[in-house]
């Protein structure tokens, strides 16, 4: 028996069908594995609403959402309703092979009034932004 005939016998239709079915499942079934997080609400932990802080480093911290794999963090002066300065606009994502997601950020800020907000995202969905205002004296 020739090598090609042997390959056809060994890798015949069952192997071909399994590859075809696996490919079809991957293409059509991905949405079934992406969790809808649009109704989730991020709980902001620090700084608190209307906090008055001293000049120095400020810890921004929020609870993680189980199925979010990244967070959009934005910080403006003085507010999102009236932006004079966009201080930070960044996305925090996986930082290691364990897929740990950053849910905190530390920044050194000058005196002024600020508003910050965060929303969670995954491949298919995003939460609404949650925001808070604070002052640096």
């Amino acid at each position: 028996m020739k090598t090609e005939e042997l390959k056809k016998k060994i890798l015949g239709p069952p192997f071909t069908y399994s590859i075809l079915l696996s490919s079809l499942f991957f293409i059509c079934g991905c949405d079934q594995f992406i969790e809808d997080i649009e109704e989730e609400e991020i709980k902001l932990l620090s700084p608190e609403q209307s906090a008055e802080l001293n000049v120095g480093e400020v810890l921004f911290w929020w609870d993680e959402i189980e199925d979010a794999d990244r967070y959009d963090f934005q910080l403006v002066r003085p507010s999102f309703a009236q932006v004079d300065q966009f201080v930070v606009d960044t996305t925090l994502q996986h930082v290691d092979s364990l897929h740990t997601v950053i849910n905190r950020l530390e920044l050194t800020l000058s005196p002024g009034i600020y508003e910050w907000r965060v929303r969670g995202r995954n491949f298919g969905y995003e939460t609404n932004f949650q925001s808070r205002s604070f002052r640096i004296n």
Side-chain angles (χ1 to χ4, degrees):
M1 189 176 284
K2 294 182 181 177
T3 307
E4 287 303 313
E5 290 175 359
L6 184 59
K7 281 184 183 178
K8 284 181 184 177
K9 279 192 167 201
I10 295 172
L11 303 176
F15 179 74
T16 306
Y17 293 139
S18 65
I19 289 177
L20 179 62
L21 288 174
S22 296
S23 299
L24 186 60
F25 177 73
F26 179 75
I27 291 168
C28 298
C30 288
D31 285 346
Q32 295 173 0
F33 297 107
I34 300 170
E35 293 295 325
D36 182 350
I37 61 172
E38 290 181 343
E39 299 300 318
E40 299 288 328
E41 187 172 305
I42 293 179
K43 181 180 178 188
L44 304 180
L45 303 174
S46 172
E48 294 181 1
Q49 178 64 29
S50 303
E52 295 209 15
L53 308 169
N54 295 323
V55 171
E57 293 200 354
V58 177
L59 174 65
F60 297 91
W61 184 24
W62 56 92
D63 276 344
E64 290 183 40
I65 291 180
E66 184 177 344
D67 294 305
D69 60 14
R70 59 192 169 273
Y71 296 95
D72 294 328
F73 175 89
Q74 298 176 337
L75 175 67
V76 298
R77 290 177 73 168
S79 70
F80 288 101
Q82 181 184 345
V83 177
D84 287 343
Q85 180 185 8
F86 233 105
V87 180
V88 178
D89 184 6
T90 191
T91 300
L92 306 167
Q93 326 192 65
H94 296 304
V95 293
D96 59 27
S97 61
L98 299 175
H99 300 288
T100 303
V101 179
I102 296 175
N103 67 326
R104 62 188 73 196
L105 181 65
E106 199 164 357
L107 300 170
T108 301
L109 301 172
S110 58
I113 298 171
Y114 295 86
E115 186 174 5
W116 67 289
R117 66 185 183 183
V118 176
R119 75 174 168 196
R121 291 194 295 142
N122 62 23
F123 185 73
Y125 303 94
E126 61 188 33
T127 67
N128 290 322
F129 276 105
Q130 298 299 313
S131 63
R132 285 192 178 161
S133 300
F134 64 97
R135 175 187 299 272
I136 302 287
N137 296 318

